[in-house]
Amino acid sequence: MGCESSTDWLCQRAWVEIDLNALTHNVRQLKRQLAAKTQLMAVVKADAYGHGAVSVAQTALNAGANWLGVATIPEGIELRAAGIQAPILLLGAVHSPEQVRAIAYWQLQPTICNSKQALIFAETLKEMGQTLPVHLKLDTGMSRLGTMWQDAAEFVQLVRHLPNLDIQSIYSHLATADSPDTRVMEQQHQRFQQAIRTIEAAGIPLPKLHFANSAATLVDSALHYDLVRVGLATYGLYPAPHCQGLIDLKPVMGVKARVTQVKDIPAGTGVSYGYQYIADRDLRLAVIGIGYADGVPRNLSNKLQVLIRGQRVPQVGAITMDQMMLDVSSIPDLQVGEVVTLLGTDGNQSISADDWAETLGTISWEILCSFKHRLPRVAV
Ligand SMILES: *Cc1c(COP(=O)(O)O)cnc(C)c1O
C-alpha cells in the first residue's frame, strides 16, 4: 500500500514511493535482451540509486537478476546482513588488509585494479587461510580504475600465480556508451578485445568477461559478453534520449509530499527567502512539506513544476530547507493534506528525473541518488 490511502504518520509529510512491480518489469525486459549465456547484474550501489538497496536487490533477484553490484564494503554488508546470498561484486577499489578481511568475512567479491592491490589481497588471505573469488579490472579508456589494457596479460599472469586468489572475471568500463556517437565506445571495445587476445595468447584460460553498463546493454548486444552490469535501466530510466523505445522501461521512483497550508496573497507580495518571486496578481499559495534537505535541488527554485489532481502547477519562490511554495490558483478549493507529485505520474501527466536533470544541466543518475533518508521509502 502506498501513502495515498495510508494513515501511517510517516506518510503525512513527504516520501519516496518505490514501485517494485515496475522494477520486476524492467528486470524482465532486460533479461529478454540477453542471450542465454549472459547473466544480469543489478547494480544496487548508492542504496540502489536511492531506491533502497535491500528491497531492490531482493526484487531484482526474484525477477531473474543473477548478480548484485555495489560500490563500497558497507553496501555489500547491508545486503549480506539482510540474508541475501547472491554473488556480490564490489565495484570500488580497496587497498588495505583491514578491507580485505571485511570482504572475506562477508563473502563479497572484490575488484582488483593493479598488481599492488593483488599483493595486499594475496598476503592477507594467505594469513587468513582463505581463498577469495576476485575480478580483474582493465582500463580501456575510462581512465578511472584498472590496469592499462596494454598490460593486461602481465597483470592477469601475476594474479594467477598468487596464492588464495581465484580469478572469476576480467572486466572494463565504458566512458561514452550513452553517446549517439559510438566511436569512443568502439575504440574501447577494440582495446578490450586486443587485451583478451593477448591473455589467450599467453595460454591463460579465460574467465567470465564483462563490459556493458545500461547504455551498452541497450544499444549493442556485441558488448554483452558473459554478464551485463545494469544500474539506471533497472530503475526505469533511459541512459540517453536515443535509447528510448529500445526496450519498454517503467520508472520505479516517485516523490510525493502533502499540502500543509493554503493561503491567499495579494498582488505585489514577496514569497520565500530573498523574494525571488513576487506575486504579479492576487494568487493562492500552497505550502508543501519537502525542501532541499530532502534532496530537492534548491537550484530548481521557480523552475519546478509539480502535479496536483493530475494538473501541472508551478513552484514559486526559493525552495527552503524543509518546505516550498506552489501557485495553486488554478486548483479550486485545495485542501491541506492533499498529495502533490514532484516525480511520477498523476492522471495523464508525469514528471521524470530526466525533466529535472535537463533543467539543472545534470544527469538523471544524480537526481535519483539525491533524495535523503529523511524521506521514507514506501513500497507500492
Ligand atoms: C555504476 C556502474 C555501472 C552501472 O552503470 P549504469 O549506467 O547505471 O547502468 C556499471 N559498471 C560499473 C563499473 C559501475 O560503476
Side-chain angles (χ1 to χ4, degrees):
M1 259 307 164
C3 277
E4 319 258 337
S5 56
S6 170
T7 52
D8 188 336
W9 61 269
L10 268 178
C11 300
Q12 296 302 313
R13 179 182 170 260
W15 64 96
V16 171
E17 280 185 0
I18 303 300
D19 183 348
L20 294 173
N21 290 332
L23 185 77
T24 295
H25 167 86
N26 298 335
V27 170
R28 290 192 180 142
Q29 289 291 311
L30 286 159
K31 285 284 278 188
R32 281 179 48 187
Q33 304 300 303
L34 306 179
K37 70 149 195 170
T38 303
Q39 296 193 311
L40 175 64
M41 174 184 295
V43 177
V44 297
K45 63 191 180 192
D47 198 30
Y49 292 36
H51 293 66
V54 171
S55 56
V56 163
Q58 284 164 338
T59 305
L61 292 168
N62 284 336
N66 315 88
W67 284 77
L68 299 170
V70 298
T72 70
I73 297 171
E75 288 173 359
I77 293 175
E78 186 190 5
L79 300 174
R80 286 283 180 255
I84 291 170
Q85 314 259 317
I88 299 174
L89 173 59
L90 181 59
L91 298 161
V94 301
H95 53 81
S96 77
E98 293 76 20
Q99 289 173 309
V100 175
R101 282 193 279 271
I103 288 167
Y105 181 82
W106 289 98
Q107 297 186 357
L108 309 177
Q109 301 196 18
T111 296
I112 298 184
C113 301
N114 56 32
S115 45
K116 200 168 170 191
Q117 288 175 5
L119 291 168
I120 293 167
F121 267 94
E123 198 173 315
T124 310
L125 290 167
K126 204 172 153 200
E127 275 168 25
M128 297 175 76
Q130 202 173 328
T131 294
L132 209 59
V134 300
H135 303 258
L136 306 188
K137 184 88 185 263
L138 301 180
D139 182 356
T140 56
M142 173 72 179
S143 303
R144 198 169 64 177
L145 292 177
T147 288
M148 293 306 290
W149 59 280
Q150 299 96 327
D151 306 326
E154 266 169 84
F155 174 45
V156 178
Q157 197 66 278
L158 175 128
V159 177
R160 241 162 68 81
H161 290 113
L162 287 174
N164 305 72
L165 301 181
D166 181 9
I167 302 173
Q168 293 289 305
S169 84
I170 297 172
Y171 76 102
S172 188
H173 192 48
L174 290 157
T176 68
D178 52 355
S179 166
D181 180 345
T182 57
R183 280 174 295 183
V184 171
M185 183 166 78
E186 278 156 20
Q187 183 185 46
Q188 280 197 260
H189 192 201
Q190 279 162 17
R191 290 170 172 179
F192 191 59
Q193 289 173 308
Q194 181 67 37
I196 300 309
R197 278 196 293 272
T198 60
I199 292 164
E200 277 185 303
I204 302 168
L206 286 183
K208 275 191 172 48
L209 303 173
H210 47 112
F211 202 31
N213 55 7
S214 290
T217 301
L218 295 186
V219 300
D220 191 355
S221 62
L223 303 171
H224 289 181
Y225 289 93
D226 300 304
L227 174 69
V228 294
R229 308 184 305 268
V230 182
L232 191 76
T234 311
Y235 307 108
L237 286 145
Y238 295 92
H242 72 281
C243 298
Q244 237 141 45
L246 291 176
I247 68 173
D248 178 51
L249 298 174
K250 294 186 178 16
V252 176
M253 181 185 284
V255 177
K256 306 213 165 161
R258 284 184 199 272
V259 174
T260 53
Q261 190 173 347
V262 180
K263 64 171 62 163
D264 294 311
I265 59 168
T269 306
V271 176
S272 192
Y273 294 122
Y275 280 5
Q276 291 176 28
Y277 180 84
I278 295 178
D280 55 1
R281 66 206 134 83
D282 294 352
L283 58 81
R284 178 159 293 174
L285 278 186
V287 182
I288 60 173
I290 188 169
Y292 63 76
D294 298 289
V296 181
R298 188 174 172 281
N299 280 339
L300 286 175
S301 297
N302 277 316
K303 297 176 189 154
L304 189 65
Q305 294 192 326
V306 302
L307 306 176
I308 303 177
R309 299 184 195 163
Q311 210 173 305
R312 272 173 195 267
V313 306
Q315 184 276 325
V316 293
I319 293 170
T320 72
M321 190 179 287
D322 318 301
Q323 307 175 73
M324 64 181 77
M325 276 63 92
L326 312 173
D327 173 359
V328 293
S329 308
S330 64
I331 311 270
D333 200 26
L334 182 67
Q335 299 298 308
V336 165
E338 283 197 51
V339 174
V340 176
T341 300
L342 288 94
L343 284 184
T345 300
D346 181 5
N348 54 19
Q349 294 282 331
S350 50
I351 297 173
S352 81
D354 287 317
D355 297 327
W356 286 23
E358 195 181 314
T359 305
L360 291 164
T362 184
I363 56 175
S364 59
W365 288 258
E366 189 185 22
I367 303 298
L368 295 180
C369 292
S370 67
F371 296 102
K372 303 290 178 2
H373 274 283
R374 89 169 173 179
L375 294 178
R377 268 52 174 180
V378 179
V380 292

